Amino acid sequence: MLIERTEKDIILFTINRPEVRNAIDYDVMKELEKTIETIQQDPNIKAFVITGSGKDAFCSGGDLSIFHKLYTEEEAFKMLSRMGGILYKLLTLKCPTVALINGYAIGGGCELATACDYRIARNGVKVGFVQGKLAITTGWGGGTMLVEKLLHHQAYRMLFSANTYSALEAKEIGFIHEILSDEKWMYEGMTFTEKMIDNCSASVLSAYKEIAITKWKNFNVLERMLEEVSKCSSLWAKEEHHAAVKAFIEKSK
């Protein structure tokens, strides 16, 4: 992972695993959680931006080469609940958060993006909650967060279809908020973030963020995310899921 603090007190977190389309493994989990905790303890940080290295992928979800080894419901729940907990911490982080989607955001990559306040994407990217094609639901609490953030019918359109959407289609649905140029996406993404927070102090930004955090706590979002994790864990253990993952891995070789 590449972690940088800018002059504007923005933390830029780059998932640096381009060889596996920036898939999440246990090391990414550890560094993401560590970074979130550092931000919570620093009163001067004004924003948190997450992106992926290169232009091919923002995040392709969980690393199937590692997580496919999890076979039982209990094994799956241990991994899924850990990442779900990290995404809840990201959701309720005290400062504004931005998913700078530089490339494909698929499956768990969309769940990671959903946890952020803003989702801005390079022109030409594809996004999609494709978990249904692997005979499981969203497993990190992404479905719960999506229903909170999008109109009901638009959220379920993305979840039920298990399809990928272009950046423009995703913006029409409400999942993507801004589309960036192909070549200057990083500059435009960071400029967008800087302009958004420039006139407010870190304490003011935190106070505004608390409005949403209080709502999510009152709406029992954490408990609902854990219920979602539990249901996914049950589906994970079924042969239908293992067969679908095996076929996907074979097709990808």
Side-chain angles (χ1 to χ4, degrees), residues 35-55:
T35 303
I36 291 170
E37 290 174 352
T38 297
I39 293 172
Q40 284 286 45
Q41 296 169 9
D42 190 328
N44 297 313
I45 293 175
K46 298 182 68 175
F48 184 36
V49 177
I50 300 175
T51 193
S53 62
K55 290 179 63 175

Side-chain angles (χ1 to χ4, degrees), residues 72-234:
T72 68
E73 182 174 345
E74 292 75 19
E75 289 172 336
F77 183 82
K78 184 176 181 180
M79 180 276 291
L80 295 173
S81 61
R82 179 183 176 189
M83 189 60 189
I86 293 171
L87 291 192
Y88 181 76
K89 290 179 181 179
L90 176 59
L91 177 73
T92 57
L93 193 59
K94 67 176 184 177
C95 65
T97 55
V98 177
L100 180 49
I101 304 174
N102 55 300
Y104 276 67
I106 302 297
C110 269
E111 297 191 64
L112 173 63
T114 303
C116 295
D117 298 313
Y118 290 91
R119 289 167 293 283
I120 55 180
R122 179 179 64 80
N123 187 37
V125 308
K126 295 280 188 177
V127 301
F129 292 86
V130 299
Q131 290 90 332
K133 294 179 180 179
L134 296 178
I136 56 172
T137 62
T138 46
W140 294 340
T144 299
M145 293 186 289
L146 192 69
V147 170
E148 281 292 313
K149 295 191 173 187
L150 268 60
L151 293 174
H152 181 91
H153 71 286
Q154 298 290 42
Y156 277 113
R157 175 183 171 187
M158 295 191 77
L159 295 171
F160 289 162
S161 71
N163 286 330
T164 57
Y165 296 82
S166 69
L168 182 58
E169 289 170 333
K171 186 178 180 183
E172 291 173 349
I173 291 173
F175 185 74
I176 297 297
H177 300 115
E178 299 286 339
I179 298 178
L180 312 172
S181 67
D182 186 25
E183 295 302 324
K184 296 182 178 180
W185 60 270
M186 175 60 79
Y187 170 78
E188 291 179 1
M190 295 304 292
T191 299
F192 172 92
T193 305
E194 290 172 0
K195 287 182 177 179
M196 178 178 64
I197 65 173
D198 195 43
N199 292 325
C200 293
S201 66
S203 59
V204 169
L205 294 169
S206 179
Y208 277 136
K209 188 66 183 285
E210 191 63 35
I211 296 171
I213 294 171
T214 299
K215 172 194 170 185
W216 291 325
K217 288 180 178 178
N218 289 339
F219 280 30
N220 299 315
V221 167
L222 177 58
E223 291 78 6
R224 288 158 50 201
M225 288 175 67
L226 290 176
E227 288 178 7
E228 182 181 342
V229 168
S230 181
K231 290 175 182 177
C232 181
S233 300
S234 177

